[in-house]
Protein backbone atom coordinates (compact mmCIF):
# COMPACT_ATOMS: atom_id res chain seq x y z
CA UNK A 1 0.00 0.00 0.00
CA UNK A 2 2.90 2.37 0.83
CA UNK A 3 4.56 1.85 -2.55
CA UNK A 4 1.23 2.23 -4.33
CA UNK A 5 0.78 5.62 -2.62
CA UNK A 6 4.29 6.73 -3.59
CA UNK A 7 3.78 5.80 -7.26
CA UNK A 8 0.54 7.81 -7.47
CA UNK A 9 1.70 10.86 -5.46
CA UNK A 10 1.80 14.22 -7.31
CA UNK A 11 5.56 14.54 -6.66
CA UNK A 12 6.30 11.12 -8.18
CA UNK A 13 4.14 11.86 -11.23
CA UNK A 14 5.92 15.20 -11.68
CA UNK A 15 9.40 13.66 -11.43
CA UNK A 16 8.55 10.83 -13.85
CA UNK A 17 7.03 13.29 -16.32
CA UNK A 18 10.23 15.35 -16.26
CA UNK A 19 12.29 12.18 -16.74
CA UNK A 20 10.18 11.12 -19.74
CA UNK A 21 10.48 14.63 -21.22
CA UNK A 22 14.28 14.60 -20.95
CA UNK A 23 14.43 11.19 -22.62
CA UNK A 24 12.04 12.29 -25.39
CA UNK A 25 14.06 15.48 -26.02
CA UNK A 26 17.23 13.39 -26.24
CA UNK A 27 15.60 11.02 -28.74
CA UNK A 28 14.47 13.89 -30.98
CA UNK A 29 17.86 15.60 -30.81
CA UNK A 30 19.64 12.34 -31.70
CA UNK A 31 17.23 11.56 -34.54
CA UNK A 32 17.51 15.04 -36.08
CA UNK A 33 21.29 15.08 -35.67
CA UNK A 34 21.70 11.72 -37.43
CA UNK A 35 18.76 12.08 -39.86
CA UNK A 36 17.61 9.39 -42.29
CA UNK A 37 16.60 6.11 -40.70
CA UNK A 38 16.83 7.53 -37.19
CA UNK A 39 14.05 10.02 -37.97
CA UNK A 40 11.98 7.23 -39.51
CA UNK A 41 12.33 5.20 -36.30
CA UNK A 42 11.17 8.22 -34.29
CA UNK A 43 8.17 8.63 -36.58
CA UNK A 44 7.29 4.99 -36.01
CA UNK A 45 7.27 5.47 -32.23
CA UNK A 46 4.57 8.16 -32.56
CA UNK A 47 2.01 5.53 -33.54
CA UNK A 48 2.33 3.83 -30.13
CA UNK A 49 0.33 6.59 -28.41
CA UNK A 50 -1.55 3.98 -26.36
CA UNK A 51 1.63 2.47 -24.88
CA UNK A 52 4.19 5.28 -24.58
CA UNK A 53 3.93 8.14 -22.05
CA UNK A 54 2.39 11.32 -23.54
CA UNK A 55 5.69 13.23 -23.23
CA UNK A 56 7.21 11.00 -25.93
CA UNK A 57 4.25 11.32 -28.30
CA UNK A 58 4.05 15.14 -28.06
CA UNK A 59 7.79 15.58 -28.53
CA UNK A 60 8.36 13.02 -31.29
CA UNK A 61 5.62 14.52 -33.49
CA UNK A 62 8.07 17.17 -34.64
CA UNK A 63 9.79 14.44 -36.67
CA UNK A 64 6.74 14.02 -38.94
CA UNK A 65 7.49 17.10 -41.03
CA UNK A 66 10.00 19.38 -39.30
CA UNK A 67 13.31 17.54 -39.34
CA UNK A 68 16.71 19.15 -40.02
CA UNK A 69 16.85 21.15 -43.28
CA UNK A 70 19.80 21.49 -45.68
CA UNK A 71 21.27 24.57 -47.39
CA UNK A 72 20.34 25.87 -50.88
CA UNK A 73 23.88 25.06 -52.08
CA UNK A 74 23.31 21.38 -51.38
CA UNK A 75 19.99 21.51 -53.25
CA UNK A 76 21.61 23.08 -56.32
CA UNK A 77 24.49 20.61 -56.18
CA UNK A 78 22.02 17.73 -56.40
CA UNK A 79 20.09 19.38 -59.26
CA UNK A 80 23.33 19.93 -61.18
CA UNK A 81 24.15 16.21 -60.82
CA UNK A 82 20.67 15.01 -61.86
CA UNK A 83 19.47 17.71 -64.30
CA UNK A 84 22.70 19.56 -65.21
CA UNK A 85 21.16 22.86 -64.11
CA UNK A 86 20.37 24.54 -60.76
CA UNK A 87 16.81 24.37 -59.42
CA UNK A 88 15.94 28.01 -60.24
CA UNK A 89 16.64 27.32 -63.92
CA UNK A 90 14.60 24.11 -64.05
CA UNK A 91 11.52 25.86 -62.67
CA UNK A 92 9.96 29.25 -63.34
CA UNK A 93 10.03 29.82 -59.57
CA UNK A 94 11.71 27.79 -56.85
CA UNK A 95 11.58 28.55 -53.12
CA UNK A 96 14.87 27.42 -51.60
CA UNK A 97 13.34 27.65 -48.12
CA UNK A 98 11.82 24.17 -47.58
CA UNK A 99 8.20 24.00 -46.50
CA UNK A 100 8.71 20.63 -44.81
CA UNK A 101 11.58 18.30 -43.98
CA UNK A 102 11.44 14.65 -42.98
CA UNK A 103 13.56 11.51 -42.80
CA UNK A 104 14.81 11.23 -46.40
CA UNK A 105 14.14 14.56 -48.06
CA UNK A 106 12.91 18.12 -47.79
CA UNK A 107 10.05 19.60 -49.80
CA UNK A 108 10.18 22.91 -51.69
CA UNK A 109 7.38 24.85 -53.31
CA UNK A 110 7.94 25.73 -56.98
CA UNK A 111 6.15 26.77 -60.17
CA UNK A 112 6.49 25.13 -63.59
CA UNK A 113 6.98 27.27 -66.69
CA UNK A 114 3.31 26.75 -67.56
CA UNK A 115 2.33 28.24 -64.18
CA UNK A 116 1.45 24.97 -62.41
CA UNK A 117 2.21 25.02 -58.68
CA UNK A 118 4.25 21.97 -57.67
CA UNK A 119 5.89 20.45 -54.62
CA UNK A 120 9.48 19.33 -55.21
CA UNK A 121 10.82 16.59 -52.94
CA UNK A 122 14.62 16.76 -52.84
CA UNK A 123 16.56 13.89 -51.28
CA UNK A 124 19.39 14.70 -48.88
CA UNK A 125 22.49 14.49 -51.04
CA UNK A 126 24.47 12.25 -48.68
CA UNK A 127 21.60 9.89 -47.85
CA UNK A 128 22.53 7.11 -50.27
CA UNK A 129 26.14 7.15 -49.07
CA UNK A 130 25.02 6.93 -45.45
CA UNK A 131 22.25 4.35 -45.83
CA UNK A 132 24.37 1.19 -45.63
CA UNK A 133 26.37 2.67 -42.76
CA UNK A 134 23.20 3.58 -40.85
CA UNK A 135 21.81 0.07 -41.34
CA UNK A 136 25.04 -1.47 -40.02
CA UNK A 137 25.08 0.92 -37.04
CA UNK A 138 21.49 0.12 -36.14
CA UNK A 139 22.12 -3.61 -36.50
CA UNK A 140 25.14 -3.31 -34.20
CA UNK A 141 23.16 -1.33 -31.60
CA UNK A 142 20.31 -3.82 -31.69
CA UNK A 143 22.70 -6.75 -31.26
CA UNK A 144 24.35 -5.02 -28.30
CA UNK A 145 20.91 -4.54 -26.73
CA UNK A 146 20.16 -8.23 -27.35
CA UNK A 147 23.34 -9.20 -25.51
CA UNK A 148 22.15 -7.26 -22.44
CA UNK A 149 18.45 -8.09 -22.87
CA UNK A 150 18.13 -11.36 -24.84
CA UNK A 151 14.34 -11.09 -25.07
CA UNK A 152 14.59 -7.70 -26.80
CA UNK A 153 15.41 -9.16 -30.20
CA UNK A 154 14.61 -6.71 -33.00
CA UNK A 155 17.66 -7.13 -35.23
CA UNK A 156 15.80 -9.68 -37.39
CA UNK A 157 13.15 -7.03 -38.18
CA UNK A 158 15.76 -4.64 -39.54
CA UNK A 159 17.42 -7.48 -41.47
CA UNK A 160 14.12 -8.39 -43.13
CA UNK A 161 13.04 -4.82 -43.91
CA UNK A 162 16.26 -3.18 -45.06
CA UNK A 163 15.60 -4.16 -48.69
CA UNK A 164 12.16 -2.58 -48.51
CA UNK A 165 13.55 0.53 -46.82
CA UNK A 166 16.16 0.87 -49.58
CA UNK A 167 13.34 1.22 -52.13
CA UNK A 168 12.44 4.54 -50.49
CA UNK A 169 15.67 6.02 -51.83
CA UNK A 170 14.39 5.66 -55.42
CA UNK A 171 11.99 8.53 -56.08
CA UNK A 172 11.11 7.20 -59.53
CA UNK A 173 9.81 4.08 -57.80
CA UNK A 174 7.85 6.35 -55.44
CA UNK A 175 6.29 8.09 -58.43
CA UNK A 176 5.13 4.74 -59.86
CA UNK A 177 3.74 3.76 -56.44
CA UNK A 178 1.78 7.03 -56.32
CA UNK A 179 0.24 6.38 -59.73
CA UNK A 180 -0.75 2.84 -58.76
CA UNK A 181 -2.28 4.09 -55.50
CA UNK A 182 -4.29 6.70 -57.43
CA UNK A 183 -5.56 3.96 -59.75
CA UNK A 184 -6.39 1.50 -56.95
CA UNK A 185 -8.33 4.10 -54.93
CA UNK A 186 -9.76 6.02 -57.89
CA UNK A 187 -13.33 5.00 -56.99
CA UNK A 188 -12.99 6.90 -53.71
CA UNK A 189 -13.69 10.43 -54.94
CA UNK A 190 -12.38 11.89 -51.70
CA UNK A 191 -8.85 10.44 -52.13
CA UNK A 192 -6.34 12.74 -53.85
CA UNK A 193 -2.88 11.59 -54.96
CA UNK A 194 -0.77 14.45 -56.39
CA UNK A 195 0.04 13.97 -60.12
CA UNK A 196 3.72 13.25 -60.82
CA UNK A 197 5.59 15.42 -63.36
CA UNK A 198 8.02 12.92 -64.85
CA UNK A 199 10.13 15.43 -66.82
CA UNK A 200 11.10 17.03 -63.49
CA UNK A 201 11.64 13.75 -61.63
CA UNK A 202 14.75 11.64 -61.10
CA UNK A 203 15.98 8.98 -58.65
CA UNK A 204 16.54 11.75 -56.08
CA UNK A 205 14.00 14.43 -57.05
CA UNK A 206 10.22 13.99 -57.20
CA UNK A 207 8.00 16.73 -58.61
CA UNK A 208 4.22 16.51 -58.15
CA UNK A 209 1.23 18.82 -58.05
CA UNK A 210 1.15 21.07 -55.01
CA UNK A 211 -1.88 20.34 -52.81
CA UNK A 212 -3.00 22.62 -50.01
CA UNK A 213 -4.07 20.95 -46.79
CA UNK A 214 -3.41 20.43 -43.10
CA UNK A 215 -2.35 17.37 -41.16
CA UNK A 216 -5.06 14.79 -40.61
CA UNK A 217 -4.69 14.99 -36.81
CA UNK A 218 -4.94 18.81 -36.65
CA UNK A 219 -8.29 18.91 -34.86
CA UNK A 220 -8.43 22.71 -34.59
CA UNK A 221 -7.83 23.22 -38.32
CA UNK A 222 -10.42 20.55 -39.17
CA UNK A 223 -13.08 22.28 -37.06
CA UNK A 224 -12.10 25.73 -38.36
CA UNK A 225 -12.80 24.50 -41.91
CA UNK A 226 -16.24 23.30 -40.89
CA UNK A 227 -15.30 19.66 -41.47
CA UNK A 228 -16.32 16.80 -39.18
CA UNK A 229 -13.92 14.48 -37.37
CA UNK A 230 -16.27 11.55 -37.99
CA UNK A 231 -16.25 12.03 -41.76
CA UNK A 232 -12.45 12.30 -41.88
CA UNK A 233 -11.84 9.27 -39.65
CA UNK A 234 -14.29 7.14 -41.63
CA UNK A 235 -12.73 8.07 -44.98
CA UNK A 236 -9.21 7.47 -43.65
CA UNK A 237 -10.08 4.01 -42.33
CA UNK A 238 -12.01 2.98 -45.44
CA UNK A 239 -9.25 4.06 -47.85
CA UNK A 240 -6.47 2.15 -46.12
CA UNK A 241 -8.73 -0.84 -45.38
CA UNK A 242 -9.34 -1.06 -49.14
CA UNK A 243 -5.58 -1.45 -49.65
CA UNK A 244 -5.14 -3.96 -46.85
CA UNK A 245 -8.10 -6.22 -47.55
CA UNK A 246 -8.55 -5.92 -51.31
CA UNK A 247 -5.84 -4.36 -53.50
CA UNK A 248 -2.94 -5.71 -51.42
CA UNK A 249 -0.76 -2.72 -52.42
CA UNK A 250 -0.40 -1.01 -49.05
CA UNK A 251 0.95 2.40 -48.04
CA UNK A 252 3.25 1.51 -45.15
CA UNK A 253 4.00 4.97 -43.77
CA UNK A 254 0.65 6.83 -43.41
CA UNK A 255 1.70 9.01 -40.46
CA UNK A 256 -0.10 12.39 -40.06
CA UNK A 257 2.57 14.26 -42.02
CA UNK A 258 1.77 12.08 -45.05
CA UNK A 259 -2.02 12.48 -44.94
CA UNK A 260 -3.42 15.98 -45.48
CA UNK A 261 -7.04 17.11 -45.27
CA UNK A 262 -8.69 19.78 -47.41
CA UNK A 263 -12.27 20.81 -48.18
CA UNK A 264 -13.53 19.36 -51.45
CA UNK A 265 -15.97 20.86 -53.98
CA UNK A 266 -18.87 19.18 -52.14
CA UNK A 267 -17.89 20.92 -48.90
CA UNK A 268 -16.74 17.65 -47.33
CA UNK A 269 -13.26 16.40 -46.53
CA UNK A 270 -10.78 15.16 -49.11
CA UNK A 271 -7.67 13.18 -48.11
CA UNK A 272 -4.40 14.02 -49.85
CA UNK A 273 -2.04 11.01 -49.66
CA UNK A 274 1.66 11.87 -49.78
CA UNK A 275 5.00 10.05 -49.58
CA UNK A 276 4.50 6.81 -51.52
CA UNK A 277 8.04 5.54 -51.12
CA UNK A 278 7.35 2.73 -48.64
CA UNK A 279 4.78 0.23 -49.92
CA UNK A 280 4.22 -3.44 -49.20
CA UNK A 281 2.40 -6.03 -51.27
CA UNK A 282 0.32 -8.66 -49.48
CA UNK A 283 -0.52 -11.64 -51.66
CA UNK A 284 -4.10 -12.82 -52.16
CA UNK A 285 -3.80 -15.90 -49.94
CA UNK A 286 -2.65 -13.85 -46.95
CA UNK A 287 -5.19 -11.11 -47.71
CA UNK A 288 -8.02 -13.66 -47.72
CA UNK A 289 -6.88 -15.10 -44.37
CA UNK A 290 -6.57 -11.61 -42.87
CA UNK A 291 -10.06 -10.63 -44.10
CA UNK A 292 -11.65 -13.69 -42.52
CA UNK A 293 -9.61 -13.32 -39.32
CA UNK A 294 -10.79 -9.72 -38.79
CA UNK A 295 -14.41 -10.77 -39.33
CA UNK A 296 -13.99 -13.65 -36.87
CA UNK A 297 -12.54 -11.35 -34.19
CA UNK A 298 -15.48 -8.94 -34.39
CA UNK A 299 -17.95 -11.84 -34.18
CA UNK A 300 -15.91 -13.56 -31.42
CA UNK A 301 -15.76 -16.76 -33.48
CA UNK A 302 -12.89 -18.52 -31.72
CA UNK A 303 -12.76 -21.49 -34.08
CA UNK A 304 -12.44 -19.22 -37.13
CA UNK A 305 -9.90 -17.00 -35.34
CA UNK A 306 -7.73 -20.04 -34.71
CA UNK A 307 -8.14 -21.34 -38.29
CA UNK A 308 -7.28 -18.09 -40.07
CA UNK A 309 -4.45 -17.15 -37.70
CA UNK A 310 -2.93 -20.56 -38.48
CA UNK A 311 -3.24 -19.74 -42.21
CA UNK A 312 -0.96 -16.77 -41.48
CA UNK A 313 1.51 -19.04 -39.67
CA UNK A 314 0.53 -18.17 -36.08
CA UNK A 315 -0.48 -20.69 -33.43
CA UNK A 316 -1.10 -18.35 -30.47
CA UNK A 317 -4.13 -16.83 -32.12
CA UNK A 318 -5.44 -14.92 -29.10
CA UNK A 319 -2.16 -13.05 -28.68
CA UNK A 320 -1.91 -12.36 -32.41
CA UNK A 321 -5.46 -11.01 -32.50
CA UNK A 322 -4.65 -8.62 -29.66
CA UNK A 323 -1.50 -7.44 -31.45
CA UNK A 324 -3.54 -6.98 -34.64
CA UNK A 325 -6.43 -5.11 -33.00
CA UNK A 326 -4.38 -3.37 -30.28
CA UNK A 327 -7.24 -4.18 -27.95
CA UNK A 328 -8.06 -7.01 -25.50
CA UNK A 329 -9.59 -10.05 -27.17
CA UNK A 330 -9.10 -12.69 -24.46
CA UNK A 331 -11.95 -11.19 -22.42
CA UNK A 332 -14.29 -12.95 -24.83
CA UNK A 333 -16.91 -10.21 -25.08
CA UNK A 334 -18.12 -7.71 -27.66
CA UNK A 335 -16.55 -4.32 -26.98
CA UNK A 336 -18.77 -1.84 -25.21
CA UNK A 337 -17.31 1.09 -27.14
CA UNK A 338 -14.91 1.85 -29.97
CA UNK A 339 -12.96 3.90 -27.42
CA UNK A 340 -10.23 2.10 -25.50
CA UNK A 341 -11.18 2.19 -21.83
CA UNK A 342 -8.62 2.90 -19.12
CA UNK A 343 -8.88 -0.73 -17.98
CA UNK A 344 -8.22 -1.95 -21.53
CA UNK A 345 -5.27 0.44 -21.95
CA UNK A 346 -3.70 -0.89 -18.73
CA UNK A 347 -4.33 -4.45 -19.95
CA UNK A 348 -2.55 -3.74 -23.26
CA UNK A 349 0.42 -2.14 -21.51
CA UNK A 350 0.71 -5.10 -19.15
CA UNK A 351 0.32 -7.53 -22.05
CA UNK A 352 3.11 -5.83 -24.02
CA UNK A 353 5.40 -5.98 -20.99
CA UNK A 354 4.60 -9.45 -19.67
CA UNK A 355 4.29 -11.29 -23.00
CA UNK A 356 7.08 -9.55 -24.90
CA UNK A 357 8.87 -12.77 -25.88
CA UNK A 358 5.60 -14.35 -27.03
CA UNK A 359 4.83 -11.27 -29.13
CA UNK A 360 8.25 -11.56 -30.76
CA UNK A 361 7.52 -15.21 -31.57
CA UNK A 362 4.19 -14.25 -33.14
CA UNK A 363 5.79 -11.53 -35.28
CA UNK A 364 8.54 -13.89 -36.45
CA UNK A 365 5.95 -16.49 -37.47
CA UNK A 366 4.03 -14.06 -39.70
CA UNK A 367 4.64 -13.66 -43.43
CA UNK A 368 7.21 -10.84 -43.66
CA UNK A 369 4.91 -8.43 -45.57
CA UNK A 370 2.58 -8.48 -42.55
CA UNK A 371 5.09 -6.46 -40.50
CA UNK A 372 4.52 -3.31 -42.55
CA UNK A 373 0.79 -4.08 -42.75
CA UNK A 374 0.72 -4.01 -38.95
CA UNK A 375 2.56 -0.68 -39.09
CA UNK A 376 -0.18 0.73 -41.34
CA UNK A 377 -2.96 -0.59 -39.11
CA UNK A 378 -1.37 0.77 -35.94
CA UNK A 379 -0.62 4.17 -37.50
CA UNK A 380 -4.23 4.57 -38.66
CA UNK A 381 -5.37 3.44 -35.19
CA UNK A 382 -3.21 6.17 -33.64
CA UNK A 383 -4.64 8.84 -35.95
CA UNK A 384 -8.20 7.77 -35.18
CA UNK A 385 -7.38 7.93 -31.46
CA UNK A 386 -5.90 11.44 -31.83
CA UNK A 387 -9.19 12.53 -33.42
CA UNK A 388 -11.05 11.20 -30.37
CA UNK A 389 -12.04 7.89 -32.04
CA UNK A 390 -15.22 9.40 -33.56
CA UNK A 391 -16.02 6.19 -35.47
CA UNK A 392 -15.85 2.47 -34.74
CA UNK A 393 -12.62 1.55 -36.53
CA UNK A 394 -12.96 -2.15 -35.73
CA UNK A 395 -16.43 -2.46 -37.24
CA UNK A 396 -15.61 -0.32 -40.31
CA UNK A 397 -12.56 -2.43 -41.04
CA UNK A 398 -14.57 -5.61 -40.50
CA UNK A 399 -17.07 -4.48 -43.14
CA UNK A 400 -14.17 -3.71 -45.51
CA UNK A 401 -12.69 -7.13 -44.72
CA UNK A 402 -15.96 -8.93 -45.52
CA UNK A 403 -16.38 -6.89 -48.68
CA UNK A 404 -12.75 -7.46 -49.69
CA UNK A 405 -12.93 -11.21 -49.13
CA UNK A 406 -16.16 -11.39 -51.14
CA UNK A 407 -14.59 -9.51 -54.06
CA UNK A 408 -11.48 -11.69 -53.91
CA UNK A 409 -13.80 -14.57 -54.75
CA UNK A 410 -13.56 -16.81 -51.74
CA UNK A 411 -11.00 -19.32 -52.95
CA UNK A 412 -12.54 -22.18 -54.95
CA UNK A 413 -15.46 -20.03 -56.11
CA UNK A 414 -13.27 -17.32 -57.59
CA UNK A 415 -13.90 -18.27 -61.23
CA UNK A 416 -17.67 -18.21 -60.68
CA UNK A 417 -17.57 -14.66 -59.34
CA UNK A 418 -15.52 -13.12 -62.13
CA UNK A 419 -18.81 -11.85 -63.54
CA UNK A 420 -19.22 -8.38 -62.02
CA UNK A 421 -22.96 -8.84 -61.30
CA UNK A 422 -22.46 -12.15 -59.48
CA UNK A 423 -19.52 -10.68 -57.58
CA UNK A 424 -21.62 -7.70 -56.52
CA UNK A 425 -24.44 -9.99 -55.36
CA UNK A 426 -21.95 -12.03 -53.32
CA UNK A 427 -20.51 -8.86 -51.73
CA UNK A 428 -23.98 -7.69 -50.67
CA UNK A 429 -24.87 -11.18 -49.38
CA UNK A 430 -21.69 -11.53 -47.29
CA UNK A 431 -22.11 -8.04 -45.83
CA UNK A 432 -25.72 -8.83 -44.96
CA UNK A 433 -24.71 -12.10 -43.25
CA UNK A 434 -22.04 -10.26 -41.25
CA UNK A 435 -24.42 -7.50 -40.15
CA UNK A 436 -27.09 -10.04 -39.15
CA UNK A 437 -24.60 -12.23 -37.24
CA UNK A 438 -23.27 -9.23 -35.33
CA UNK A 439 -26.73 -7.90 -34.51
CA UNK A 440 -27.88 -11.35 -33.35
CA UNK A 441 -24.85 -11.60 -31.07
CA UNK A 442 -25.70 -8.24 -29.51
CA UNK A 443 -29.40 -9.11 -29.17
CA UNK A 444 -28.55 -12.48 -27.60
CA UNK A 445 -26.38 -10.82 -24.95
CA UNK A 446 -29.07 -8.26 -24.12
CA UNK A 447 -31.88 -10.84 -23.97
CA UNK A 448 -29.74 -13.00 -21.66
CA UNK A 449 -29.16 -10.00 -19.38
CA UNK A 450 -32.93 -9.28 -19.36
CA UNK A 451 -33.76 -12.91 -18.51
CA UNK A 452 -31.26 -12.93 -15.63
CA UNK A 453 -32.66 -9.65 -14.29
CA UNK A 454 -36.19 -11.09 -14.44
CA UNK A 455 -35.17 -14.24 -12.58
CA UNK A 456 -33.44 -12.15 -9.91
CA UNK A 457 -36.51 -9.90 -9.59
CA UNK A 458 -38.73 -12.98 -9.13
CA UNK A 459 -36.36 -14.29 -6.47
CA UNK A 460 -35.61 -17.47 -8.41
CA UNK A 461 -31.84 -16.82 -8.49
CA UNK A 462 -29.43 -14.66 -6.54
CA UNK A 463 -27.96 -11.60 -8.24
CA UNK A 464 -24.71 -12.65 -10.00
CA UNK A 465 -21.97 -10.12 -9.32
CA UNK A 466 -20.60 -8.47 -12.48
CA UNK A 467 -22.68 -10.57 -14.89
CA UNK A 468 -24.92 -7.74 -16.12
CA UNK A 469 -21.98 -5.59 -17.14
CA UNK A 470 -20.29 -8.53 -18.86
CA UNK A 471 -23.39 -9.44 -20.87
CA UNK A 472 -24.25 -5.86 -21.86
CA UNK A 473 -20.78 -5.19 -23.23
Amino acid sequence: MFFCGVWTSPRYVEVMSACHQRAADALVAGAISNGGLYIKLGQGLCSFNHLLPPEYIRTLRVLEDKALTRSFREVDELFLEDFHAPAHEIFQEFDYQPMAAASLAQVHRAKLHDGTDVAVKVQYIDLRDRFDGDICTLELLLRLVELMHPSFGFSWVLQDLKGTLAQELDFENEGHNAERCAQDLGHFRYVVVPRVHWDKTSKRVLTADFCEGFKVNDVEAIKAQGLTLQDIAQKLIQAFAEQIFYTGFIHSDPHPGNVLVRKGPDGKAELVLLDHGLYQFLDEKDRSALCQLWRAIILRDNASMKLHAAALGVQDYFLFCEVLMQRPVRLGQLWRSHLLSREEAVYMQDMAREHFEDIMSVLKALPRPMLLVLRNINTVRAINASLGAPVDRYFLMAKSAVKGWSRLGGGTYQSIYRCSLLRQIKVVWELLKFEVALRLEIVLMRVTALVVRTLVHLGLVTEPEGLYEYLET
Side-chain angles (χ1 to χ4, degrees), residues 103-137:
S103 57
L104 308 180
Q106 57 192 35
V107 180
H108 300 261
R109 190 164 185 172
K111 191 182 290 288
L112 300 180
H113 290 289
D114 65 1
T116 303
D117 288 323
V118 292
V120 185
K121 184 176 179 180
V122 182
Q123 192 174 115
Y124 301 130
I125 198 167
D126 61 343
L127 189 67
R128 288 170 178 264
D129 296 331
R130 293 178 51 192
F131 181 80
D132 290 337
D134 286 346
I135 287 288
C136 290
T137 301

Side-chain angles (χ1 to χ4, degrees), residues 158-421:
L158 187 62
Q159 190 71 31
D160 285 336
L161 294 182
K162 64 182 178 182
T164 305
L165 292 171
Q167 293 177 16
E168 282 200 272
L169 305 182
D170 183 351
F171 285 0
E172 289 178 345
N173 180 65
E174 178 175 344
H176 292 302
N177 288 346
E179 290 184 337
R180 180 169 175 181
C181 174
Q183 182 179 355
D184 285 350
L185 301 182
H187 55 292
F188 290 135
R189 298 294 180 87
Y190 56 81
V191 172
V192 178
V193 179
R195 175 171 53 104
V196 176
H197 295 271
W198 288 105
D199 59 329
K200 301 291 189 295
T201 295
S202 69
K203 295 283 187 184
R204 298 185 294 176
V205 175
L206 178 66
T207 303
D209 286 346
F210 177 81
C211 294
E212 294 279 4
F214 40 87
K215 290 167 65 172
V216 69
N217 62 347
D218 189 340
V219 175
E220 289 185 9
I222 290 170
K223 291 180 177 178
Q225 287 290 313
L227 302 174
T228 68
L229 301 177
Q230 182 177 2
D231 181 52
I232 291 168
Q234 182 167 328
K235 287 174 175 176
L236 177 80
I237 291 164
Q238 286 177 335
F240 287 118
E242 178 79 357
Q243 291 186 330
I244 292 168
F245 296 124
Y246 182 59
T247 72
F249 190 62
I250 301 159
H251 194 312
S252 301
D253 198 17
H255 66 72
N258 290 338
V259 183
L260 304 183
V261 176
R262 70 183 190 185
K263 182 178 284 190
D266 61 355
K268 295 184 178 180
E270 288 184 341
L271 303 181
V272 182
L273 305 187
L274 307 175
D275 195 350
H276 300 270
L278 188 60
Y279 267 72
Q280 185 61 269
F281 183 74
L282 191 64
D283 68 35
E284 187 171 316
K285 177 175 110 8
D286 292 336
R287 253 179 291 151
S288 180
L290 185 60
C291 285
Q292 294 175 85
L293 176 62
W294 200 286
R295 176 186 183 276
I297 295 170
I298 296 300
L299 295 178
R300 290 299 186 270
D301 183 345
N302 285 359
S304 293
M305 286 161 60
K306 184 175 183 179
L307 176 67
H308 300 304
L312 289 168
V314 178
Q315 299 305 314
D316 191 344
Y317 68 97
F318 264 133
L319 182 60
F320 173 48
C321 290
E322 291 183 336
V323 170
L324 180 65
M325 308 297 279
Q326 287 296 295
R327 193 160 189 180
V329 173
R330 295 173 191 272
L331 301 180
Q333 63 208 48
L334 293 172
W335 293 314
R336 178 187 307 179
S337 165
H338 49 270
L339 291 168
L340 198 67
S341 69
R342 180 175 179 81
E343 180 186 1
E344 289 174 320
V346 170
Y347 173 93
M348 292 304 296
Q349 290 167 356
D350 291 343
M351 187 270 287
R353 182 172 57 251
E354 296 170 8
H355 298 279
F356 187 82
E357 291 186 36
D358 295 329
I359 293 172
M360 286 296 101
S361 298
V362 165
L363 295 178
K364 285 181 181 180
L366 287 170
R368 287 297 171 258
M370 276 296 298
L371 296 177
L372 288 179
V373 174
L374 290 174
R375 174 187 169 99
N376 174 294
I377 291 172
N378 191 48
T379 305
V380 172
R381 179 209 57 77
I383 294 173
N384 186 51
S386 70
L387 295 175
V391 296
D392 190 337
R393 181 179 68 91
Y394 309 99
F395 181 64
L396 282 176
M397 290 190 70
K399 289 183 71 173
S400 291
V402 172
K403 188 176 179 180
W405 178 72
S406 303
R407 286 186 292 170
L408 288 173
T412 56
Y413 300 102
Q414 188 169 12
S415 59
I416 299 174
Y417 296 112
R418 288 181 197 261
C419 169
S420 59
L421 177 60

